[in-house]
Amino acid sequence: CELGLPDALTAAKTPEELAAAGYGSAPLLSRLLRSLAAYDVVKRRRDGRYTLAHAGLALTGRSSVAPMIRYANAPWHAAAYHRLADAIRNGADGFTLAYERPLFAYLAQQPAASNLFDGAMNALGELYAEPFARAYDFSTVRTVVDVGGGTGALLAAVRERYPAMQATVYELPHVVRAAPPRSGIAFVEGDIVTQPPPPADCYILSHVLHDWDDDRAGAILRNVRAAMSERARLLIFELVAAEDGNVWTPDRLTDVEMLTMLGGKERTREAFAALLERSGLTLLAVHPAGVPEAVIECAPAGIPNR
């Protein structure tokens, strides 16, 4: 992915052709591609050319996971994991121990790392946007605000199904400035940790709360609650962690990622319900989305389910 080979191999090429196009040394490319062919990333044709195989096709196009792979293998990501044991001993996240500042503070001062991180999050958004849009009935929603909605991929998928909806992304100023224009989606600058979002019928928090411990996540929820009318709804789109046991579930890995990089955590349904209750909200339902994440529907506390 760092070499740019997935896009280069959408058309079959020999290592020599790749080398002539500036992708590296032909003998070394040949050795790399030979190894990748054993893992279904590329396949070697009889004429000596290589093209993408099944796994390699996931590294190109609109839904490419290549940005996620580059993020997971970035030196500063690895450095946080090198401090995982210290994080568990000391109760601090590995990234802060490695760099003496939290991840988002680091990214604010490192443009290249910030672009890599944003690219990974945008790639992730493209993967789960359509399942989210299908999982909830927005037919009665006139206005929606995606809190921390990045470049608006999630709302774009929702508006494809509900084009009359007024959609707004509420994001940090540097994210808003970098976001590409999207038809029918407005961008508003703000910080959900300190400011309520704009008024709306429906609010979305997608992959936001798991970044934070309960105190910070509670502050975010209380700001959303402050903006909600009695009939408004909040949709949290995250993994709902399984109860402790010996069966593998996706949250077993992502929970350690949150611990290491941000000091956040994945939460069970019961943990979400308790956090919401402390923030003036009620968990109404959990809607499956056909992906590891689910849509957690919430209302202001004390409001009947309508």
Side-chain angles (χ1 to χ4, degrees), residues 196 214-215 217-227 278-281:
D214 285 350
D215 288 343
I220 292 170
L221 288 170
R222 287 190 294 275
N223 277 329
V224 174
R225 173 63 185 91
R278 294 194 297 271
S279 306
L281 294 156

Side-chain angles (χ1 to χ4, degrees), residues 60-293:
T60 62
R62 176 180 173 181
S63 298
S64 170
V65 298
M68 290 296 297
I69 291 175
R70 294 185 62 224
Y71 162 70
N73 290 278
W76 43 270
H77 188 273
Y81 272 86
H82 291 163
R83 300 301 300 273
L84 177 56
D86 293 331
I88 291 171
R89 290 189 188 104
N90 300 324
D93 66 89
F95 193 94
T96 298
L97 291 174
Y99 287 95
E100 299 183 342
R101 53 191 153 163
L103 172 62
F104 292 133
Y106 173 87
L107 295 177
Q109 299 172 345
Q110 300 288 333
S114 181
N115 289 338
L116 182 60
F117 179 85
D118 290 344
M121 297 304 104
N122 291 338
L124 188 62
E126 293 288 351
L127 290 175
Y128 59 63
E130 184 60 29
F132 172 82
R134 291 196 306 264
Y136 187 78
D137 181 6
F138 288 90
S139 59
T140 62
V141 176
R142 296 171 303 162
T143 57
V144 60
V145 172
D146 189 354
V147 178
T151 60
L154 201 71
L155 285 186
V158 173
R159 288 197 78 257
E160 283 185 9
R161 299 174 68 86
Y162 304 93
M165 181 185 298
Q166 296 180 26
T168 300
V169 171
Y170 184 64
E171 258 291 5
L172 295 170
H174 77 276
V175 178
V176 171
R177 289 193 294 269
R182 288 190 185 267
S183 177
I185 298 177
F187 288 82
V188 174
E189 296 181 4
D191 183 351
I192 189 55
V193 176
T194 59
Q195 302 165 278
D201 299 331
C202 181
Y203 295 89
I204 299 168
L205 283 171
S206 174
H207 297 82
V208 171
L209 296 179
H210 72 169
D211 289 350
W212 307 104
D213 61 19
D214 285 350
D215 288 343
R216 187 63 65 90
I220 292 170
L221 288 170
R222 287 190 294 275
N223 277 329
V224 174
R225 173 63 185 91
M228 294 175 71
S229 69
E230 291 186 354
R231 293 181 176 272
R233 292 292 183 262
L234 166 63
L235 305 179
I236 300 169
F237 190 44
E238 290 197 5
L239 287 172
V240 179
E243 297 296 337
D244 292 348
N246 300 317
V247 178
W248 184 89
T249 50
D251 57 275
R252 305 307 170 102
L253 290 178
T254 56
D255 188 48
V256 175
E257 171 75 2
M258 296 302 108
L259 181 163
T260 305
M261 298 301 295
L262 291 158
K265 59 183 177 180
E266 304 292 4
R267 295 174 172 89
T268 63
R269 178 178 178 137
E270 291 71 22
F272 272 115
L275 180 63
L276 290 162
E277 183 179 0
R278 294 194 297 271
S279 306
L281 294 156
T282 298
L283 194 160
L284 295 181
V286 176
H287 304 277
V291 292
E293 295 85 354

Side-chain angles (χ1 to χ4, degrees), residues 35-82:
S35 297
L36 293 175
Y39 294 94
D40 206 30
V41 178
V42 299
K43 56 186 174 183
R44 187 181 187 277
R45 305 194 324 186
R46 291 183 178 180
D47 62 4
R49 287 180 166 82
Y50 286 87
T51 188
L52 297 175
H54 178 71
L57 292 171
L59 304 175
T60 62
R62 176 180 173 181
S63 298
S64 170
V65 298
M68 290 296 297
I69 291 175
R70 294 185 62 224
Y71 162 70
N73 290 278
W76 43 270
H77 188 273
Y81 272 86
H82 291 163

